[in-house]
Coordinates of all heavy atoms in Angstrom, one line a residue:
Q76 N -12.1 1.4 -10.9 CA -11.6 0.0 -10.6 C -10.2 -0.1 -11.3 O -9.4 -0.9 -10.7 CB -12.5 -1.0 -11.1 CG -13.8 -1.1 -10.3 CD -14.7 -2.3 -10.8 OE1 -14.5 -2.8 -11.8 NE2 -15.7 -2.5 -10.0
D77 N -9.9 0.6 -12.4 CA -8.6 0.5 -13.0 C -7.6 1.0 -12.1 O -6.5 0.5 -12.0 CB -8.6 1.2 -14.3 CG -9.5 0.6 -15.4 OD1 -9.7 -0.7 -15.3 OD2 -10.0 1.2 -16.3
I78 N -7.9 2.1 -11.4 CA -6.9 2.7 -10.4 C -6.6 1.7 -9.3 O -5.5 1.5 -8.9 CB -7.4 4.0 -9.9 CG1 -7.5 5.0 -10.9 CG2 -6.6 4.5 -8.7 CD1 -8.2 6.3 -10.5
L79 N -7.6 1.0 -8.8 CA -7.5 0.0 -7.7 C -6.5 -1.1 -8.2 O -5.6 -1.5 -7.5 CB -8.8 -0.6 -7.3 CG -8.7 -1.6 -6.2 CD1 -8.1 -1.1 -4.9 CD2 -10.1 -2.1 -5.9
V80 N -6.8 -1.6 -9.4 CA -5.9 -2.7 -10.0 C -4.5 -2.2 -10.1 O -3.5 -2.9 -9.8 CB -6.5 -3.1 -11.3 CG1 -5.5 -4.1 -12.0 CG2 -7.8 -3.8 -11.1
A81 N -4.3 -0.9 -10.6 CA -3.0 -0.4 -10.7 C -2.3 -0.3 -9.3 O -1.1 -0.6 -9.2 CB -3.0 1.0 -11.4
V82 N -3.0 0.2 -8.3 CA -2.5 0.3 -7.0 C -2.0 -1.1 -6.5 O -0.9 -1.2 -5.9 CB -3.5 1.0 -6.0 CG1 -3.1 0.8 -4.6 CG2 -3.7 2.4 -6.4
L83 N -2.9 -2.0 -6.6 CA -2.6 -3.4 -6.1 C -1.4 -4.0 -6.8 O -0.5 -4.6 -6.2 CB -3.8 -4.3 -6.2 CG -5.0 -3.9 -5.3 CD1 -6.2 -4.8 -5.6 CD2 -4.6 -3.9 -3.8
M84 N -1.3 -3.8 -8.1 CA -0.2 -4.2 -8.9 C 1.1 -3.6 -8.5 O 2.1 -4.2 -8.4 CB -0.4 -4.0 -10.4 CG -1.5 -4.9 -11.0 SD -1.1 -6.7 -10.8 CE 0.3 -6.8 -11.9
H85 N 1.0 -2.3 -8.2 CA 2.2 -1.5 -7.7 C 2.7 -2.1 -6.4 O 3.9 -2.4 -6.3 CB 1.8 -0.1 -7.5 CG 2.9 0.7 -6.8 ND1 4.0 1.2 -7.4 CD2 3.0 1.1 -5.5 CE1 4.8 1.8 -6.6 NE2 4.2 1.8 -5.4
F86 N 1.8 -2.4 -5.5 CA 2.3 -3.0 -4.2 C 2.8 -4.4 -4.4 O 3.8 -4.7 -3.9 CB 1.1 -3.1 -3.2 CG 0.7 -1.7 -2.6 CD1 -0.6 -1.5 -2.2 CD2 1.7 -0.7 -2.5 CE1 -0.9 -0.3 -1.7 CE2 1.3 0.5 -1.9 CZ 0.0 0.7 -1.5
T87 N 2.1 -5.2 -5.2 CA 2.6 -6.6 -5.4 C 3.9 -6.6 -6.1 O 4.8 -7.4 -5.6 CB 1.5 -7.3 -6.3 OG1 0.3 -7.2 -5.6 CG2 1.9 -8.8 -6.4
V88 N 4.1 -5.8 -7.1 CA 5.4 -5.8 -7.9 C 6.5 -5.3 -7.0 O 7.6 -5.9 -6.9 CB 5.3 -5.0 -9.1 CG1 6.6 -4.7 -9.8 CG2 4.3 -5.7 -10.1
K89 N 6.2 -4.3 -6.2 CA 7.2 -3.7 -5.3 C 7.7 -4.7 -4.3 O 8.9 -4.9 -4.0 CB 6.7 -2.4 -4.6 CG 7.7 -1.6 -3.9 CD 7.2 -0.3 -3.6 CE 8.4 0.6 -3.3 NZ 8.3 1.9 -3.8
I90 N 6.8 -5.4 -3.6 CA 7.1 -6.4 -2.6 C 7.9 -7.5 -3.2 O 8.8 -8.0 -2.7 CB 5.9 -6.9 -1.9 CG1 5.3 -5.8 -1.0 CG2 6.2 -8.1 -1.0 CD1 6.1 -5.5 0.2
E91 N 7.4 -8.0 -4.4 CA 8.1 -9.1 -5.1 C 9.5 -8.8 -5.5 O 10.4 -9.6 -5.4 CB 7.2 -9.6 -6.2 CG 6.0 -10.4 -5.8 CD 5.1 -10.8 -7.0 OE1 5.4 -10.4 -8.1 OE2 4.1 -11.5 -6.8
K92 N 9.6 -7.6 -6.0 CA 11.0 -7.1 -6.4 C 11.9 -7.1 -5.2 O 13.0 -7.5 -5.2 CB 11.0 -5.8 -7.1 CG 10.5 -5.8 -8.5 CD 10.6 -4.4 -9.1 CE 10.1 -4.4 -10.5 NZ 10.1 -3.1 -11.1
M93 N 11.4 -6.5 -4.1 CA 12.1 -6.4 -2.8 C 12.5 -7.9 -2.3 O 13.6 -8.1 -1.9 CB 11.3 -5.7 -1.7 CG 12.1 -5.4 -0.5 SD 11.2 -4.4 0.7 CE 10.1 -5.5 1.3
A94 N 11.6 -8.8 -2.5 CA 11.8 -10.1 -2.0 C 12.9 -10.9 -2.8 O 13.7 -11.5 -2.3 CB 10.5 -10.9 -1.9
T95 N 12.8 -10.7 -4.1 CA 13.7 -11.4 -5.0 C 15.1 -10.7 -5.0 O 16.1 -11.4 -5.1 CB 13.2 -11.5 -6.4 OG1 12.9 -10.2 -6.9 CG2 11.9 -12.3 -6.5
Y96 N 15.1 -9.4 -4.9 CA 16.3 -8.7 -4.9 C 17.2 -9.0 -3.7 O 18.4 -9.2 -3.8 CB 16.1 -7.1 -5.0 CG 17.3 -6.3 -5.0 CD1 18.2 -6.2 -6.1 CD2 17.7 -5.6 -3.8 CE1 19.3 -5.5 -6.0 CE2 18.9 -4.9 -3.8 CZ 19.7 -4.8 -4.9 OH 20.8 -4.1 -4.8
N97 N 16.6 -9.0 -2.6 CA 17.3 -9.3 -1.3 C 17.3 -10.8 -1.0 O 17.9 -11.1 0.1 CB 16.6 -8.5 -0.2 CG 16.8 -7.0 -0.4 OD1 17.9 -6.6 -0.8 ND2 15.8 -6.3 -0.1
K98 N 16.7 -11.6 -1.8 CA 16.7 -13.0 -1.5 C 16.1 -13.3 -0.2 O 16.6 -14.1 0.6 CB 18.1 -13.7 -1.6 CG 18.8 -13.4 -3.0 CD 18.0 -14.2 -4.1 CE 18.8 -14.0 -5.4 NZ 18.0 -14.0 -6.5
I99 N 15.0 -12.7 0.1 CA 14.3 -12.9 1.4 C 13.0 -13.5 1.1 O 12.5 -13.5 0.0 CB 14.1 -11.6 2.2 CG1 13.2 -10.6 1.4 CG2 15.4 -11.0 2.6 CD1 12.8 -9.5 2.3
E100 N 12.4 -14.1 2.1 CA 11.0 -14.6 2.0 C 10.1 -13.6 2.8 O 10.5 -13.1 3.8 CB 10.9 -16.0 2.6 CG 11.7 -17.0 1.8 CD 11.4 -18.4 2.3 OE1 10.4 -18.6 3.0 OE2 12.2 -19.3 1.9
L101 N 8.9 -13.4 2.2 CA 8.0 -12.6 2.9 C 7.4 -13.3 4.1 O 7.1 -14.5 4.1 CB 6.8 -12.2 1.9 CG 7.3 -11.4 0.7 CD1 6.0 -11.2 -0.2 CD2 7.9 -10.1 1.1
T102 N 7.3 -12.6 5.2 CA 6.8 -13.1 6.4 C 5.2 -13.0 6.4 O 4.7 -12.3 5.6 CB 7.3 -12.4 7.6 OG1 6.9 -11.0 7.6 CG2 8.9 -12.4 7.7
T103 N 4.6 -13.6 7.4 CA 3.2 -13.5 7.6 C 2.8 -12.0 7.8 O 1.8 -11.5 7.3 CB 2.7 -14.4 8.7 OG1 3.1 -15.7 8.5 CG2 1.2 -14.3 8.9
K104 N 3.6 -11.3 8.6 CA 3.4 -9.9 8.8 C 3.4 -9.1 7.5 O 2.5 -8.2 7.4 CB 4.4 -9.4 9.8 CG 4.2 -7.9 10.2 CD 5.3 -7.4 11.1 CE 5.1 -5.9 11.4 NZ 6.1 -5.4 12.2
D105 N 4.3 -9.4 6.6 CA 4.4 -8.7 5.3 C 3.1 -8.9 4.6 O 2.5 -8.0 4.0 CB 5.5 -9.2 4.5 CG 6.9 -8.9 5.1 OD1 7.0 -7.9 5.8 OD2 7.8 -9.6 4.9
H106 N 2.6 -10.1 4.6 CA 1.3 -10.4 3.9 C 0.1 -9.7 4.5 O -0.7 -9.1 3.8 CB 1.0 -11.9 3.8 CG 1.9 -12.6 2.9 ND1 3.1 -13.2 3.3 CD2 1.8 -12.8 1.6 CE1 3.7 -13.8 2.2 NE2 2.9 -13.6 1.2
W107 N 0.1 -9.6 5.8 CA -0.9 -8.9 6.5 C -0.9 -7.4 6.2 O -1.9 -6.7 5.9 CB -0.8 -9.0 8.0 CG -1.6 -10.3 8.5 CD1 -1.0 -11.5 8.8 CD2 -3.0 -10.4 8.7 NE1 -2.0 -12.3 9.2 CE2 -3.2 -11.7 9.2 CE3 -4.0 -9.5 8.6 CZ2 -4.5 -12.1 9.4 CZ3 -5.3 -10.0 8.8 CH2 -5.5 -11.3 9.3
V108 N 0.3 -6.8 6.2 CA 0.5 -5.4 5.9 C 0.0 -5.1 4.5 O -0.7 -4.1 4.2 CB 2.0 -4.9 6.1 CG1 2.2 -3.6 5.5 CG2 2.3 -5.0 7.6
V109 N 0.4 -5.9 3.5 CA 0.0 -5.7 2.1 C -1.6 -5.8 2.0 O -2.2 -5.0 1.4 CB 0.6 -6.7 1.2 CG1 0.0 -6.6 -0.2 CG2 2.1 -6.4 1.1
G110 N -2.1 -6.8 2.7 CA -3.6 -7.0 2.7 C -4.3 -5.8 3.3 O -5.3 -5.3 2.7
I111 N -3.9 -5.4 4.5 CA -4.5 -4.3 5.2 C -4.4 -3.0 4.3 O -5.4 -2.3 4.2 CB -4.0 -4.1 6.6 CG1 -4.4 -5.3 7.4 CG2 -4.4 -2.8 7.2 CD1 -3.7 -5.4 8.8
H112 N -3.2 -2.7 3.8 CA -3.1 -1.5 3.0 C -3.9 -1.6 1.8 O -4.5 -0.5 1.3 CB -1.6 -1.2 2.7 CG -0.9 -0.6 3.8 ND1 -0.3 -1.3 4.8 CD2 -0.7 0.8 4.0 CE1 0.3 -0.4 5.6 NE2 0.0 0.8 5.2
S113 N -4.0 -2.7 1.2 CA -4.9 -2.8 -0.1 C -6.3 -2.5 0.3 O -7.0 -1.8 -0.5 CB -4.8 -4.3 -0.6 OG -3.4 -4.5 -1.0
V114 N -6.8 -3.1 1.3 CA -8.2 -2.8 1.7 C -8.4 -1.4 2.1 O -9.4 -0.7 1.6 CB -8.6 -3.7 2.9 CG1 -10.0 -3.3 3.5 CG2 -8.7 -5.2 2.5
L115 N -7.5 -0.8 2.8 CA -7.6 0.6 3.2 C -7.6 1.5 2.0 O -8.3 2.5 1.9 CB -6.5 1.0 4.2 CG -6.7 0.4 5.6 CD1 -5.5 0.8 6.4 CD2 -8.0 0.9 6.2
I116 N -6.7 1.2 1.0 CA -6.7 2.0 -0.2 C -7.9 1.9 -1.0 O -8.5 2.8 -1.6 CB -5.4 1.7 -1.0 CG1 -4.2 2.2 -0.3 CG2 -5.5 2.3 -2.4 CD1 -2.9 1.8 -0.9
W117 N -8.5 0.6 -1.1 CA -9.7 0.4 -1.8 C -10.8 1.2 -1.2 O -11.6 1.9 -1.9 CB -10.1 -1.1 -1.8 CG -11.3 -1.4 -2.4 CD1 -11.6 -1.4 -3.8 CD2 -12.6 -1.8 -1.8 NE1 -12.9 -1.8 -4.0 CE2 -13.5 -2.0 -2.8 CE3 -13.0 -1.9 -0.5 CZ2 -14.8 -2.3 -2.6 CZ3 -14.3 -2.3 -0.2 CH2 -15.2 -2.5 -1.2
I118 N -10.9 1.2 0.2 CA -12.0 2.0 0.8 C -11.7 3.5 0.6 O -12.7 4.3 0.3 CB -12.0 1.7 2.3 CG1 -12.5 0.3 2.6 CG2 -12.8 2.7 3.1 CD1 -12.3 -0.2 4.0
S119 N -10.5 3.9 0.6 CA -10.2 5.4 0.4 C -10.6 5.8 -1.0 O -11.1 6.9 -1.2 CB -8.7 5.6 0.6 OG -8.3 5.3 1.9
I120 N -10.3 4.9 -2.0 CA -10.7 5.2 -3.4 C -12.2 5.3 -3.5 O -12.7 6.2 -4.3 CB -10.0 4.2 -4.4 CG1 -8.5 4.5 -4.4 CG2 -10.7 4.3 -5.7 CD1 -7.8 3.5 -5.3
K121 N -12.9 4.5 -2.8 CA -14.4 4.6 -2.8 C -14.8 5.9 -2.3 O -15.7 6.5 -2.9 CB -15.0 3.5 -2.0 CG -14.9 2.1 -2.6 CD -15.7 2.0 -3.8 CE -15.8 0.6 -4.3 NZ -16.6 0.5 -5.5
F122 N -14.2 6.4 -1.2 CA -14.5 7.7 -0.7 C -14.1 8.8 -1.7 O -14.8 9.8 -1.9 CB -13.8 8.0 0.6 CG -14.6 7.4 1.8 CD1 -14.0 6.4 2.5 CD2 -15.8 7.9 2.1 CE1 -14.6 5.9 3.6 CE2 -16.5 7.3 3.2 CZ -15.9 6.3 4.0
A123 N -12.9 8.6 -2.4 CA -12.4 9.6 -3.3 C -13.3 9.9 -4.5 O -13.3 11.0 -5.0 CB -11.0 9.2 -3.7
F124 N -14.0 8.9 -4.9 CA -14.9 9.1 -6.1 C -16.3 9.3 -5.8 O -17.2 9.1 -6.6 CB -14.8 7.8 -7.0 CG -13.5 7.8 -7.7 CD1 -12.5 6.9 -7.4 CD2 -13.3 8.7 -8.8 CE1 -11.3 6.9 -8.1 CE2 -12.1 8.6 -9.5 CZ -11.1 7.8 -9.1
T125 N -16.6 9.8 -4.6 CA -18.0 10.3 -4.2 C -18.2 11.6 -4.8 O -17.3 12.4 -5.0 CB -18.2 10.3 -2.7 OG1 -17.3 11.2 -2.1 CG2 -18.0 8.9 -2.1
P126 N -19.5 12.0 -5.0 CA -19.8 13.3 -5.6 C -19.5 14.5 -4.6 O -19.4 15.6 -5.0 CB -21.3 13.2 -5.9 CG -21.7 11.8 -5.8 CD -20.6 11.1 -5.0
N127 N -19.5 14.2 -3.3 CA -19.3 15.2 -2.3 C -17.9 15.6 -2.3 O -17.0 14.8 -2.1 CB -19.8 14.7 -1.0 CG -19.7 15.8 0.1 OD1 -18.7 16.5 0.2 ND2 -20.7 15.8 0.9
L128 N -17.6 16.9 -2.6 CA -16.2 17.4 -2.7 C -15.4 17.2 -1.4 O -14.3 16.7 -1.4 CB -16.2 18.9 -3.1 CG -14.8 19.5 -3.2 CD1 -14.0 18.8 -4.3 CD2 -15.0 21.0 -3.4
F129 N -16.0 17.5 -0.2 CA -15.3 17.3 1.0 C -14.9 15.9 1.3 O -13.8 15.6 1.6 CB -16.1 17.9 2.2 CG -15.5 17.8 3.5 CD1 -14.4 18.6 3.8 CD2 -15.9 16.9 4.5 CE1 -13.8 18.6 5.0 CE2 -15.3 16.8 5.7 CZ -14.2 17.7 6.0
I130 N -15.8 15.0 1.1 CA -15.6 13.5 1.3 C -14.5 13.0 0.3 O -13.7 12.3 0.6 CB -16.9 12.7 1.3 CG1 -17.7 13.1 2.5 CG2 -16.6 11.2 1.3 CD1 -19.1 12.5 2.5
S131 N -14.6 13.5 -0.9 CA -13.7 13.2 -2.0 C -12.3 13.6 -1.6 O -11.3 12.8 -1.8 CB -14.1 13.8 -3.3 OG -13.2 13.4 -4.3
M132 N -12.1 14.8 -1.1 CA -10.8 15.3 -0.7 C -10.3 14.5 0.5 O -9.1 14.1 0.5 CB -10.9 16.8 -0.3 CG -11.2 17.7 -1.4 SD -11.6 19.4 -1.0 CE -10.4 19.8 0.2
I133 N -11.1 14.1 1.4 CA -10.7 13.2 2.5 C -10.2 11.9 2.0 O -9.2 11.3 2.4 CB -11.8 13.1 3.6 CG1 -12.0 14.4 4.3 CG2 -11.5 12.0 4.5 CD1 -13.2 14.4 5.3
G134 N -11.0 11.3 1.0 CA -10.6 10.1 0.4 C -9.3 10.1 -0.2 O -8.5 9.2 -0.1
W135 N -9.0 11.2 -1.0 CA -7.7 11.3 -1.7 C -6.6 11.4 -0.6 O -5.5 10.9 -0.8 CB -7.7 12.4 -2.7 CG -8.4 12.1 -3.9 CD1 -9.5 12.6 -4.4 CD2 -8.1 11.0 -4.9 NE1 -9.9 12.0 -5.6 CE2 -9.0 11.0 -5.9 CE3 -7.1 10.1 -4.9 CZ2 -9.0 10.1 -6.9 CZ3 -7.0 9.2 -6.0 CH2 -8.0 9.2 -7.0
A136 N -6.8 12.2 0.4 CA -5.8 12.3 1.5 C -5.5 10.9 2.1 O -4.4 10.6 2.4 CB -6.3 13.3 2.6
W137 N -6.6 10.1 2.3 CA -6.4 8.8 2.9 C -5.6 7.9 1.9 O -4.8 7.1 2.4 CB -7.7 8.1 3.2 CG -8.3 8.7 4.5 CD1 -7.8 9.5 5.4 CD2 -9.7 8.4 4.9 NE1 -8.7 9.8 6.4 CE2 -9.8 9.1 6.1 CE3 -10.7 7.6 4.5 CZ2 -11.0 9.0 6.9 CZ3 -11.9 7.5 5.2 CH2 -12.0 8.2 6.4
V138 N -5.9 8.0 0.6 CA -5.1 7.3 -0.4 C -3.6 7.6 -0.2 O -2.7 6.7 -0.2 CB -5.6 7.5 -1.8 CG1 -4.6 6.9 -2.8 CG2 -7.0 6.9 -2.0
Y139 N -3.3 8.9 -0.2 CA -1.9 9.4 -0.1 C -1.3 8.9 1.2 O -0.2 8.4 1.2 CB -1.9 10.9 -0.1 CG -0.6 11.5 0.1 CD1 0.4 11.4 -0.9 CD2 -0.2 12.1 1.3 CE1 1.7 12.0 -0.8 CE2 1.1 12.6 1.5 CZ 2.0 12.5 0.5 OH 3.2 13.0 0.7
L140 N -2.0 9.0 2.3 CA -1.4 8.6 3.6 C -1.2 7.1 3.6 O -0.2 6.6 4.2 CB -2.4 9.0 4.8 CG -2.4 10.5 5.0 CD1 -3.5 10.8 6.1 CD2 -1.1 11.0 5.4
N141 N -2.1 6.3 3.0 CA -1.8 4.8 2.9 C -0.6 4.5 2.1 O 0.2 3.6 2.4 CB -3.1 4.1 2.4 CG -4.1 3.9 3.4 OD1 -3.8 3.3 4.4 ND2 -5.3 4.4 3.2
F142 N -0.4 5.2 1.0 CA 0.8 5.1 0.1 C 2.0 5.3 1.0 O 3.0 4.6 0.9 CB 0.8 6.0 -1.1 CG 0.1 5.4 -2.3 CD1 -1.0 6.1 -2.9 CD2 0.4 4.2 -2.8 CE1 -1.6 5.6 -4.0 CE2 -0.2 3.7 -3.9 CZ -1.2 4.3 -4.5
I143 N 2.0 6.5 1.7 CA 3.2 6.9 2.5 C 3.4 5.8 3.6 O 4.6 5.5 3.8 CB 3.0 8.3 3.1 CG1 2.8 9.3 2.0 CG2 4.1 8.6 4.0 CD1 4.1 9.4 1.1
S144 N 2.4 5.4 4.2 CA 2.5 4.4 5.2 C 3.1 3.1 4.7 O 4.0 2.5 5.3 CB 1.2 4.1 5.9 OG 1.2 3.1 6.8
F145 N 2.7 2.6 3.5 CA 3.2 1.4 3.0 C 4.6 1.6 2.6 O 5.5 0.7 2.7 CB 2.3 1.0 1.8 CG 2.7 -0.4 1.3 CD1 2.4 -1.5 1.9 CD2 3.5 -0.5 0.1 CE1 2.8 -2.8 1.4 CE2 3.9 -1.7 -0.4 CZ 3.5 -2.8 0.3
E146 N 5.0 2.7 2.0 CA 6.3 3.0 1.6 C 7.2 3.0 2.8 O 8.4 2.5 2.8 CB 6.4 4.4 0.9 CG 5.8 4.4 -0.5 CD 6.5 3.6 -1.5 OE1 7.8 3.5 -1.5 OE2 5.8 3.0 -2.4
A147 N 6.8 3.6 3.9 CA 7.6 3.6 5.1 C 7.8 2.2 5.6 O 8.9 1.8 6.1 CB 6.9 4.4 6.2
Y148 N 6.8 1.4 5.6 CA 6.9 0.0 6.0 C 8.0 -0.8 5.1 O 8.8 -1.5 5.6 CB 5.6 -0.8 6.0 CG 5.7 -2.2 6.3 CD1 5.9 -2.6 7.6 CD2 5.8 -3.2 5.3 CE1 6.0 -4.0 8.0 CE2 5.9 -4.6 5.7 CZ 6.0 -4.9 7.0 OH 6.2 -6.2 7.3
G149 N 7.9 -0.5 3.8 CA 8.8 -1.2 2.9 C 10.2 -0.7 3.1 O 11.2 -1.5 3.1
L150 N 10.4 0.6 3.4 CA 11.8 1.1 3.7 C 12.3 0.5 5.0 O 13.5 0.2 5.1 CB 11.8 2.6 3.7 CG 11.6 3.3 2.4 CD1 11.4 4.8 2.6 CD2 12.7 2.9 1.4
K151 N 11.4 0.4 6.0 CA 11.8 -0.2 7.3 C 12.3 -1.7 7.1 O 13.3 -2.1 7.6 CB 10.7 -0.2 8.2 CG 11.0 -0.7 9.6 CD 9.8 -0.6 10.5 CE 9.3 -2.0 10.6 NZ 8.1 -2.2 11.5
R152 N 11.5 -2.4 6.2 CA 11.9 -3.8 6.0 C 13.2 -3.9 5.2 O 14.0 -4.8 5.5 CB 10.8 -4.5 5.1 CG 9.5 -4.8 5.9 CD 9.7 -5.9 6.8 NE 9.8 -7.2 6.1 CZ 10.5 -8.2 6.4 NH1 11.3 -8.2 7.5 NH2 10.6 -9.3 5.6
V153 N 13.5 -3.0 4.3 CA 14.7 -3.0 3.6 C 15.9 -2.7 4.5 O 16.9 -3.4 4.5 CB 14.7 -1.9 2.4 CG1 16.1 -1.7 1.9 CG2 13.8 -2.4 1.3
Q154 N 15.7 -1.8 5.5 CA 16.7 -1.5 6.4 C 17.0 -2.7 7.3 O 18.1 -2.9 7.7 CB 16.3 -0.3 7.3 CG 16.3 1.0 6.5 CD 17.7 1.4 5.9 OE1 18.7 1.2 6.5 NE2 17.6 1.8 4.6
E155 N 15.9 -3.4 7.7 CA 16.1 -4.6 8.5 C 16.9 -5.7 7.8 O 17.7 -6.4 8.4 CB 14.7 -5.2 8.9 CG 14.0 -4.3 9.9 CD 12.6 -4.9 10.2 OE1 12.2 -5.9 9.6 OE2 11.8 -4.3 11.0
M156 N 16.7 -5.8 6.5 CA 17.4 -6.8 5.7 C 18.9 -6.4 5.6 O 19.7 -7.3 5.4 CB 16.8 -6.9 4.3 CG 15.4 -7.5 4.4 SD 15.4 -9.2 5.2 CE 14.3 -8.9 6.5
K157 N 19.2 -5.1 5.6 CA 20.6 -4.7 5.4 C 21.4 -4.9 6.7 O 22.6 -4.8 6.6 CB 20.6 -3.3 5.0 CG 20.2 -3.1 3.5 CD 20.3 -1.6 3.1 CE 19.8 -1.4 1.7 NZ 19.9 -0.1 1.2
K158 N 20.8 -5.1 7.8 CA 21.6 -5.3 9.0 C 22.3 -6.6 9.1 O 22.0 -7.6 8.5 CB 20.6 -5.2 10.2 CG 20.1 -3.9 10.5 CD 19.2 -3.9 11.7 CE 18.7 -2.5 12.0 NZ 17.8 -2.5 13.2

């Protein structure tokens, strides 16, 4: 659970810094993306900590893919703000 809290704090701080740095307001879509990624990472972490090695490996891969997906969304939003 500590990892989940750290992940959620990472996302929250990152979005808030992006919002305050660029003086933008978060849209409803941004809130949905953060919420969906948080839930998906939570589910992935549940899989990652199972005793079965194969399922655990899949869980960690999903955690990584969710991080990458969220980072890509964040970079896309930054690029949109720079236009």
